[in-house]
Amino acid sequence: MNLEFSADEIAFRDEVRAFIKENYPQNAEIRGADDLTREQFLAWHKILAKKGWVAPAWPVEYGGTGWTATQRYIWSEENAAVDAIMPLPFGVAMVAPVIYTFGSQAQKDRYLPKILSGEEWWCQGYSEPGAGSDLASVKTTAVRDGDHYVINGQKTWTTLAQHADWGFFLCRTDPEADKPQKGISFILIDMKTPGIEVRPIITIDGGHEVNETWLTDVRVPVENRVGEENMGWTYAKFLLAHERSGIAGVARSKRGVERLRSLASTELLDGEPLIEDRDFARKISQLEIDLTALEFTELRTLAGEAQGKGPGPESSILKIKGTEIQQRLTELTLEAAGNYGHPYFRGFPEDGSNARPIGPDYAPASAPLYFNMRKTSIYGGSNEIQRNIISKMILGL
Amino acid sequence: MNLEFSADEIAFRDEVRAFIKENYPQNAEIRGADDLTREQFLAWHKILAKKGWVAPAWPVEYGGTGWTATQRYIWSEENAAVDAIMPLPFGVAMVAPVIYTFGSQAQKDRYLPKILSGEEWWCQGYSEPGAGSDLASVKTTAVRDGDHYVINGQKTWTTLAQHADWGFFLCRTDPEADKPQKGISFILIDMKTPGIEVRPIITIDGGHEVNETWLTDVRVPVENRVGEENMGWTYAKFLLAHERSGIAGVARSKRGVERLRSLASTELLDGEPLIEDRDFARKISQLEIDLTALEFTELRTLAGEAQGKGPGPESSILKIKGTEIQQRLTELTLEAAGNYGHPYFRGFPEDGSNARPIGPDYAPASAPLYFNMRKTSIYGGSNEIQRNIISKMILGL
Amino acid sequence: MDFNFTEEQSMIRDSLARLIREKYDFDTRRAALSSELGRDAAMWAQFAELGLLMAPFSEEDGGLGGNAIDAMVVMEEFGKGLVTEPFIPSVVCGGGFLRSAGTASQKEHHLGGIMSGEQIFAFAYAEPRGRYNLADLETSAKSDGSGYVLNGHKAVVIGAPWATHFIVTARTSGGQRDAGGVSVFIVEKDAKGVSTRDYPTVDGRRASEVYFENVSVPAEHLIGEADNGLPLVEQIADEAVAALCAEACGVMGVAHKMTVEYSRQRKQFGTPIGKFQVLQHRMVDMFMEHEQSVSMTYMATLKLGESEIERKKAASAAKVKIGQAGRFVGQEAIQIHGGMGMTEELAVGHYFKRLTMIDAELGNVDHHMKRYTALSAGDVSVAAE
Amino acid sequence: MDFNFTEEQSMIRDSLARLIREKYDFDTRRAALSSELGRDAAMWAQFAELGLLMAPFSEEDGGLGGNAIDAMVVMEEFGKGLVTEPFIPSVVCGGGFLRSAGTASQKEHHLGGIMSGEQIFAFAYAEPRGRYNLADLETSAKSDGSGYVLNGHKAVVIGAPWATHFIVTARTSGGQRDAGGVSVFIVEKDAKGVSTRDYPTVDGRRASEVYFENVSVPAEHLIGEADNGLPLVEQIADEAVAALCAEACGVMGVAHKMTVEYSRQRKQFGTPIGKFQVLQHRMVDMFMEHEQSVSMTYMATLKLGESEIERKKAASAAKVKIGQAGRFVGQEAIQIHGGMGMTEELAVGHYFKRLTMIDAELGNVDHHMKRYTALSAGDVSVAAE
């Protein structure tokens, strides 16, 4: 048992670090996903595409890097350290593994290269209104009409669909199936197909990150179905297992704690730096300790995976604790802002509604970020669902 | 809306306070219920019996004082302020209301005076092994044999049964009843009847407060049944509703916080009084604030009762929060004791096993008290059951 | 001891509740908040008409003879309807300063206006670097013989865009955080040298940065004693805290009720989520937090008239409890609503946001916990702060 | 990076687990603890026989060439079986001082005895008024030319009734809480002027108050540098903290497992209580607390060899987490067991008690949180403390 990286791993880390330092686009600031343009989202992706580093987890034959689990860990740590805007998960991490695992050769050839290049932007069509964490309760129907499906229904929480070229959708192809999990198919849809309407959902932070997607008599070629008809739930579950990796967000939260420490050093309380206040300092310490516990729990999980244990229900711990820590970070940041947590400047400067934010730089975003991050304990299987999973799969209750 | 007592109430408080000051037996220290002798338990009870103040809540005709709800509140506050050992609830607060409400005239005449005088000590025979908060799952049977019941079964958690003269027992008289709540009878049993065996249960704090009570062919006259045969659950529920009043323990917890403040003023941390440590002081403040919230919630409940609203499911809040605060108090006391929380001197000096406790006066009892108080969130309907009650009765879920 | 409302108080509650229900539904409110003015000024006129704005003033001062309990009743209803109108800044704070320490002439000039709704006061106490310490003042007021000259910058003055007058705290002597040397002034918004930068707040209200540049304030605009204004400021801040707690109770109660209601209707895996025991117990905890918050609000409101130390401890204890309860109730209301709770469109998110920001107003949990602790230890310097 | 155990470590774990299972079941343990000696000394001999007591020592020192990870393995198993034998006082602390700073002669006199189990050390650091501050010492050691004269009172010295030797911290110079001026001595228990008052502890161990009255200690019994012993004391205390954390993980794991098992069998209202979602989620939280505690214990153990500040932060972070997790897991284990959990007769209560007292040993949550915070702020004085 030891904590050291091997010499090779250290060399790899140095290479990665140097590459990021030289190539990461300087102007790609993160301010909240919905404030970014499509180009800003894709800037780093396109640089990585040239380097061949977009999709480290893919098999090498499709464009993966062939890195070990530890190398991939180092890669995400190093990116997090500069708050890099990574390739979006919907294409690279979600639909692509389904395509290269279950898709036809034609599908692989058609879709994977453009996911790698960033040419085609993907969105998810899983969730439906009222379904919440019960993803198998799919009401959107796909009815066969010759060599097309005719699709009708409504999807929701389609993240960044306003930019998307393609979407992967779960549709019910057999309404008579005896279980909700049966009779679902996994279909790829060109978002420019007539009959698709994407309507913004504005969230409580005022942002536009998610959408409702309405499908009315949308005609999709049958060849766009991945795998077998009615077997979509199998692919969907496979995808969800992939979605969970990296969900702990340790490296990003570490950066967040650093940032919190730094801003709490400039904020004052009774004329002294806020960070010297025992109560506030203690809260940061607690957060950092919880984060260390999460970090080493993730490392233990990684070590298990390296030995061939798949990412099992243990990853639910990472989801629960990771999101609790992310939420706590935004909570403490808002607290640090004090009175300057109140002013609201969303949309500046594009919409011209307000001249210039007020208070310290980080403050105007502090409340919206706190509000926004409440989503993390709801999405990706709510934290209650994660506890149900552990209870059932690990404790056997 | 106002917080003042009326002039009459103030006069009453002064009278009560003076009476306690003059009459409360000086040597009746509390050290943990099981350390007290029967005589110590009854010392104050017997003085109150002479004064006629044993049972303020009883109807005047049976020996009650006729006080208003506010007067009774003042009475318990004033007793708590000196940590008085009050008359035990099993007779005065539990079985007596059942007897005077549902019992025969003969039963009233036979039992109530000796409860008031303290001559007869009562214990409860409700809980059975394995039943927990599910009190209606009664397995002890009472089979009619002429003018007697023959009783067989086992009861548990019979508090202080080692001192008891009488017990009230729930027994199943109709094993065929279609619901567990039906077919139960409420029977009074002389604890000296042949076939009764009381065995100590030692708790994790090392104390002997509760017992198992085994009943083997115990013959009890039918006239000892209260009310109708098979209707015992009705009386049991009535009794449980009475049990809950005063469960918040506000006045006693206030004394506890004072004591905690005082001992934290003598304990040192880095050479300074522990109470000046920001972390410890904050924990006391939090406890005191929670206690204030409980106090005013209880006062609001009392005000509601004074207007004729019975003690409804709201009293579950008092149980939950009251016990959480009592537990927290012992937790902080143990924390204050630091290293001196470790030594164990239970039984001193009676059993002579150890010469003299070590460390500050309060310290040797701090861990046992903390251990012992874990019971409070379990007994009287566990705090989980209380939440079920609120969920069902108040939220309608 | 008595926890009943008077007939007048019950009447205020009922008519205000009716008015809000009928004239300030969620969509009307939203439209008003996103209008340029950021409010529906007609509501204020109707509140005045109902007598709300005069409720907490003595009959001698021209009011209805009520007290802080009337303000509590009003603010709880405001909370239920998420009303953003400036009752606390104008009636509780502006009115409070005048009622407690105003000269006959000051009362004559302003009380009528406050009660009719024609004058709106805002309380300019916070500063960019002062956080929640009411004595931490960089704004200065220099005596120039006939009056004072004000210079400084007040931060996040709630309701300032709608105000006609400010109550301004400024340092007339002493060091930056000294208890002594604080004075309180009435400043007209249109006085020369006053400028504002207006903006919305994250919970739908309006506020301003207020700048004073060599603003001449006549001596008769000083409220209370020069240099000894801090005890008065603390008193009014405590009254505002009690009113804010009442608002929070209203907000929490509705957030809880909405959540219970939603959990009954929303099905997952074929079952109403309100049947899941984990959510049931969490809603029970929300219920208990709300109940205890109501208890603490009564307590703090009833103790406003007690000794200075009792009043301060009560206000701080209540604000701590409400801050903690509000955080819990707000977060869980969103969590139990799931994705829907995250949308602008549903009301519950707005209740959550208001609860969040109430903690960040007039001192958060840590601030009041520290104040309470210091008062409990009998630390005179903090007690006086 | 590697989280695997060596073959030797796995062997130690397996044979120790078997020994405890076979020879130290709950009733045997109970009988041993309530005997006059308070332990089953034969166990210690068997541990020695298994090589446990020599596992963490280098081969050069006559040990098996293991390290802190071996101690971690041993203590986790001790935790699972609630073993009260003095592995931490004697092997981790006594052995640790000798290994890190012992002279050749000291090693020669004591290491063999510790490894064979014939010598038992106890670590006498705490004082009646010093709480968890390792430098807060009233015990004095005055140089008398040829050696030192010790006077003082050490509080709650765990394992002292069974000890043959004490490691004693004493002040050779400086003020009562100064970082400088601390020295460390080996004192034989039967030295003249040493007296003890023995007693059981609430979690079934034995401890003593140890009194030194003009005890002559030869100069060669000083371990490490005179006056500069604190860094060494802190190092060994951190090693003991890591071992204590490992014990806590063992305790927590069993408490959790027992609770899950009980919840499957125990029925209430006709249903196994493990079917109630509220209890399920609570057992999930217990599971997560245990998992995270294991992670923190690995982390702290692996960082014992890093820089002083990294080592200290790691040990304090782990002790904080373990204190919090232990409290939660212990309390909920009792709560879910209900009344049965309250009885002496069931094992779970003993696991709860041990978890409780681990937090009160070598610094509780508040102590280590403060230390961690100070270290994070780079406060040199506390870092050196």
Side-chain angles (χ1 to χ4, degrees), chain C residues 310-329:
Chain C
E310 279 304 305
R311 183 202 78 219
K312 288 176 171 179
K313 280 182 71 172
S316 284
K319 192 67 168 47
V320 165
K321 185 78 208 166
I322 264 87
Q324 294 170 332
R327 191 175 77 128
F328 178 78
V329 170

Side-chain angles (χ1 to χ4, degrees), chain A residues 18-51:
Chain A
F19 177 77
I20 293 174
K21 192 167 182 202
E22 278 157 38
N23 295 283
Y24 191 74
Q26 289 309 310
N27 57 350
E29 265 175 79
I30 286 198
R31 293 178 49 225
D34 60 314
D35 288 330
L36 294 177
T37 62
R38 182 175 162 129
E39 285 62 40
Q40 285 171 321
F41 267 121
L42 288 171
W44 186 222
H45 185 140
K46 295 203 162 164
I47 293 164
L48 294 179
K50 279 191 202 122
K51 178 81 176 173

Side-chain angles (χ1 to χ4, degrees), chain D residues 113-378:
Chain D
I114 288 176
M115 289 192 263
S116 70
E118 282 155 274
Q119 289 185 16
I120 293 181
F121 274 66
F123 183 21
Y125 61 94
E127 301 205 350
R129 293 144 53 89
R131 198 163 288 268
Y132 302 119
N133 182 343
L134 299 169
D136 194 341
L137 299 176
E138 295 185 81
T139 298
S140 65
K142 293 223 164 66
S143 169
D144 69 347
S146 66
Y148 296 87
V149 178
L150 256 71
N151 277 287
H153 168 190
K154 292 290 180 177
V156 195
V157 182
I158 301 293
W162 311 323
T164 55
H165 295 78
F166 296 126
I167 299 280
V168 182
T169 55
R171 189 154 285 291
T172 39
S173 68
Q176 190 177 326
R177 280 171 295 278
D178 287 356
V182 174
S183 303
V184 185
F185 301 93
I186 302 172
V187 181
E188 284 157 21
K189 191 178 176 181
D190 56 10
K192 190 161 173 266
V194 175
S195 63
T196 65
R197 162 84 196 283
D198 303 345
Y199 44 79
T201 66
V202 292
D203 51 358
R205 294 172 303 157
R206 294 290 164 106
S208 308
E209 301 298 290
V210 182
Y211 304 92
F212 302 96
E213 206 181 330
N214 295 321
V215 178
S216 288
V217 179
E220 58 269 28
H221 284 196
L222 173 75
I223 308 196
E225 270 177 85
D227 284 343
N228 193 24
L230 191 57
L232 176 64
V233 172
E234 291 232 36
Q235 180 203 318
I236 305 303
D238 285 341
E239 292 175 6
V241 160
L244 206 51
C245 288
E247 183 189 353
C249 290
V251 180
M252 259 185 253
V254 173
H256 177 245
K257 201 171 288 177
M258 282 175 166
T259 305
V260 170
E261 199 40 50
Y262 186 81
S263 80
R264 273 209 200 92
Q265 297 178 2
R266 171 92 171 87
K267 287 189 181 174
Q268 196 147 31
F269 305 107
T271 311
I273 61 172
K275 290 288 170 205
F276 293 120
Q277 197 192 26
V278 158
L279 301 190
Q280 289 179 343
H281 281 207
R282 221 177 289 155
M283 288 185 276
V284 168
D285 287 338
M286 292 165 76
F287 167 76
M288 293 197 291
E289 291 298 309
H290 173 239
E291 281 295 318
Q292 291 182 100
S293 297
V294 171
S295 302
M296 287 303 259
T297 301
Y298 286 10
M299 187 275 303
T301 306
L302 289 168
K303 289 196 171 178
L304 284 174
E306 298 204 357
S307 73
E308 192 183 350
I309 188 160
E310 279 305 305
R311 185 201 77 220
K312 288 176 172 179
K313 281 181 71 173
S316 283
K319 192 67 166 52
V320 165
K321 184 74 208 170
I322 261 87
Q324 293 170 333
R327 192 175 76 129
F328 178 77
V329 170
Q331 291 182 351
E332 293 304 337
I334 299 298
Q335 182 71 21
I336 295 175
H337 274 82
M340 286 309 294
M342 288 297 300
T343 64
E344 261 296 286
E345 179 192 348
L346 235 66
V348 68
H350 300 262
Y351 285 82
F352 160 63
K353 291 198 278 188
R354 182 65 193 129
L355 281 174
T356 304
M357 301 322 292
I358 283 176
D359 183 48
E361 220 171 315
L362 285 163
N364 65 358
V365 168
D366 273 11
H367 173 83
H368 283 286
M369 185 71 94
K370 215 174 295 177
R371 186 176 183 238
Y372 181 92
T373 303
L375 289 161
S376 301

